[in-house]
Amino acid sequence: MPMMDSHGLAGQVARSTAMAKALRVLILGGTTEASALARLIAGDARFDATLSLAGRTSAPKAQPIATRVGGFGGVDGLAQYLREQSIDAMVDATHPYADQMSTNAVAACARTGTPLASFVRPPWTQRTDDRWQIVPTTTKAALALGAEPRRVFISLGRQELQAFAVAPRHHYLARVIEPPDAASLPPGLRLLQARGPFDRAAEERLLTDERIEVLVSKNAGGSATYAKIEAERALGMTVIMIARPHKPAGHAVKSAHAAIAWLEQRLHETAPRSLRGV
Ligand code: NAP
């Protein structure tokens, strides 16, 4: 039997103990990608994952892994959470427009030495038959509607509807997952409560029945809400598209399977933080 020095033996013991311990993972969620990753990681004993939600919807979809809700308190709060919870790796699966959370994630991971992977969802690309007007902010979108009253379909988060109060002459229909506080909304705004995904035929019917002239949208990318873009194209409608913000990222991943593959590398690379005493 070959001799083994104490360092090698200790290393082997540490490695086998590490193999028995699950990698503690924090997933920043609120998107279809985060839910897909949660489904894939649930029940995989190699990982001990928690999904974090901002708390924008009061009744989020049930998730198959532990969930926490609400902000961390900026970079300091997130760094403290990573240390206190002995998080070994983080996956940022927030929405392409959630740039503040991603900025905080990159900074907190750099400060604590936590590996970070980030979902990068490609934007929709404008085709020659699309009539997009690209604007930098929601307020600029409201102002771009112009002086003449128009029938406008707003496909944004409920917290962004108040921006349209600066242009009250238009007829607005806004689709939201849950109703906003009515106090700051433009007077003529009607709400349509619905949660995607939506299909193209239904989107075309809605835009036609409501005699919509302009769609206001973010360039979310992905398939869940693309039907409205196909519908506006078919109907020759104008879209006021709010430009994507700069969203800082760690190691880029495009799917839940790619995120799992990246986490597997972290498993092989390091003993969990909980064993390193960090
Ligand atoms: P944000 O502006 O990047 O984040 C603002 C703050 O919310 C963060 O600093 C953080 O607070 C907290 N936060 C955000 N995501 C969190 C998470 N997963 N877990 C814990 N805390 C979180 O992002 P946002 O306010 O959520 O949204 C920004 C834009 O993205 C909006 O335009 C929104 O409509 C859009 N969005 C769309 C979807 C969608 O599925 N359609 C989902 C989410 C967001 P602390 O600094 O206190 O940690």
Side-chain angles (χ1 to χ4, degrees):
M1 192 176 163
M3 294 285 288
M4 185 177 282
D5 65 20
S6 60
H7 181 75
L9 185 60
Q12 203 174 60
V13 170
R15 271 195 299 282
S16 56
T17 317
M19 280 167 67
K21 281 270 186 182
L23 194 84
R24 287 176 63 79
V25 179
L26 177 65
I27 303 168
L28 301 176
T31 57
T32 48
E33 291 92 335
S35 298
L37 179 57
R39 281 195 300 277
L40 212 53
I41 213 168
D44 187 331
R46 298 173 302 166
F47 306 113
D48 175 8
T50 299
L51 178 69
S52 177
L53 301 173
R56 302 285 176 255
T57 47
S58 57
K61 283 183 190 162
Q63 296 290 341
I65 59 172
T67 304
R68 65 164 299 286
V69 180
F72 297 93
V75 178
D76 291 345
L78 181 56
Q80 187 179 348
Y81 180 92
L82 295 175
R83 288 198 191 95
E84 283 176 359
Q85 297 296 317
S86 298
I87 299 297
D88 298 303
M90 178 146 86
V91 179
D92 178 2
T94 54
H95 192 264
Y97 285 71
D99 54 328
Q100 184 60 59
M101 189 67 250
S102 298
T103 303
N104 295 356
V106 167
C109 284
R111 191 186 291 178
T112 57
T114 308
L116 171 68
S118 307
F119 275 81
V120 177
R121 192 196 291 174
W124 300 317
T125 47
Q126 183 172 7
R127 289 184 6 180
T128 47
D129 47 348
D130 283 321
R131 297 166 59 189
W132 292 5
Q133 182 182 348
I134 299 169
V135 296
T137 62
T138 312
T139 303
K140 287 275 197 282
L143 296 173
L145 291 168
E148 292 303 312
R150 299 169 94 182
R151 295 184 68 83
V152 183
F153 182 56
I154 306 177
S155 176
L156 303 173
R158 71 192 150 107
Q159 269 130 350
E160 286 141 306
L161 302 182
Q162 63 190 49
F164 295 87
V166 300
R169 58 196 159 278
H170 306 292
H171 304 280
Y172 295 110
L173 177 65
R175 182 163 60 198
V176 289
I177 293 175
E178 62 187 69
D181 173 12
S184 55
L185 297 178
L189 187 143
R190 290 176 301 133
L191 293 171
L192 173 64
Q193 215 174 322
R195 194 196 283 259
F198 306 101
D199 74 71
R200 178 182 162 177
E203 294 291 63
E204 270 194 51
R205 223 171 16 251
L206 173 68
L207 297 175
T208 306
D209 290 352
E210 291 288 340
R211 292 178 289 118
I212 299 297
E213 297 166 278
V214 186
L215 165 68
V216 182
S217 176
K218 289 181 179 164
N219 191 339
S223 58
T225 58
Y226 190 61
K228 68 186 171 198
I229 301 297
E230 295 176 309
E232 62 70 8
R233 187 180 294 141
L235 298 171
M237 274 173 45
T238 299
V239 180
I240 297 183
M241 187 70 86
I242 299 164
R244 280 195 173 196
H246 169 66
K247 188 171 161 81
H251 173 82
V253 292
K254 284 194 176 159
S255 68
H257 286 282
I260 292 284
W262 179 82
L263 288 169
E264 283 168 348
Q265 284 170 13
R266 305 287 77 71
L267 263 179
H268 295 132
E269 190 175 274
T270 51
R273 186 193 289 266
S274 45
L275 296 178
R276 283 183 275 131
V278 179

